[in-house]
Amino acid sequence: MSYNVVMMKVSTNGARGRDVRPVRTRLLEAAARLLADEGPRALTTRRLASEVGASTMVVYHHFGGMPELVHAVIAEGFARLAERMAAVPRTDDPVTDLGRLALAYRANARANPHLYAVMFGGVPPGGQAPPAAEPVASGAAFGAAAEAAARAMDAGRLRRDDPEHVSAQVWSAVHGLVMLELAGQLAGRAESVLISLLVNLSVGLGDAPDAAARSLRAALDAPAP
């Protein structure tokens, strides 16, 4: 089932607005919020159970322990990102598609800021290094970008290169902008800066300036997935 469906809040027994999402989903989001806002010391089974109105045994039932919980938070973040990226339709313009994928990446981060923070910068309990995302998780999220890059090369828009390498460059650039935006550093300018960034990156990768600008403006004008 799509996470967009289970994210819905519905009413039961006349209690409007009651959160009836699966407890696992609520635990993951509460854990991400605690880690992102208060740090690893705030993430205890007692505190987490209290956040969702459950017993501490529920935490162990769903995850086994805190390390497994943090890994599950990261996996959930990448699953939501992959779903958002997969919703971007493929068009006849691969550079537009790269732009739309970048915009989808930004939209996902804005919709899930706590999960995003833990995916790329959260520290699990005990001050250990954050667990690395499984390659399959990030691969599922960014396979479409590598495919669009390959099509752009086949169309003569970008210089021939390793599509995954190009995809990683786009990801790196967009991720930096998103981190600045979430930190409040690009208020009101993030979208225009992102498009300019992508135009400059595309030109650096071999595209013609006018063509890059047209394609990426089309990405911005397209309906959000």
Side-chain angles (χ1 to χ4, degrees):
M1 178 181 295
S2 166
Y3 85 89
N4 289 317
V5 175
V6 300
M7 284 284 288
M8 294 176 62
K9 291 184 177 181
V10 299
S11 59
T12 56
N13 299 325
R16 288 184 59 82
R18 180 181 176 187
D19 190 347
V20 296
R21 293 173 299 162
V23 67
R24 186 178 189 277
T25 300
R26 291 186 283 131
L27 286 168
L28 288 170
E29 294 193 351
R33 185 174 64 252
L34 289 172
L35 281 170
D37 288 348
E38 301 182 37
R41 292 184 181 278
L43 187 61
T44 66
T45 53
R46 186 179 299 276
R47 175 72 185 278
L48 185 58
S50 175
E51 288 286 317
V52 302
S55 70
T56 56
M57 288 306 298
V58 171
V59 179
Y60 294 111
H61 169 73
H62 283 281
F63 304 105
M66 283 301 174
E68 293 84 359
L69 169 63
V70 176
H71 277 280
V73 169
I74 294 172
E76 177 72 6
F78 273 103
R80 294 189 185 191
L81 174 58
E83 182 174 354
R84 178 83 66 154
M85 302 282 269
V88 176
R90 174 174 170 168
T91 73
D92 293 334
D93 187 331
V95 177
T96 293
D97 294 351
L98 278 172
R100 294 199 68 192
L101 289 165
L103 289 166
Y105 181 93
R106 172 179 176 251
N108 178 75
R110 286 163 54 89
N112 302 284
H114 296 112
L115 283 169
Y116 187 82
V118 178
M119 286 163 65
F120 296 110
V123 179
Q128 306 167 16
E134 294 293 331
V136 67
S138 56
F142 295 100
E147 187 266 346
R151 288 193 290 117
M153 294 171 199
D154 291 341
R157 296 286 300 273
L158 302 183
R159 287 190 302 273
R160 184 64 59 184
D161 198 346
D162 179 351
E164 292 188 2
H165 185 68
V166 170
S167 173
Q169 292 180 63
V170 175
W171 179 12
S172 299
V174 176
H175 175 70
L177 179 139
V178 167
M179 292 294 286
L180 288 172
E181 181 181 13
L182 293 181
Q185 299 300 316
L186 294 173
R189 297 184 296 140
E191 195 169 77
S192 61
V193 171
L194 175 58
I195 294 302
S196 297
L197 174 67
L198 292 172
V199 169
N200 291 332
L201 183 57
S202 297
V203 171
L205 291 168
D207 203 4
D210 289 346
R214 283 194 302 271
S215 292
L216 292 163
R217 177 56 56 181
L220 184 60
D221 293 340

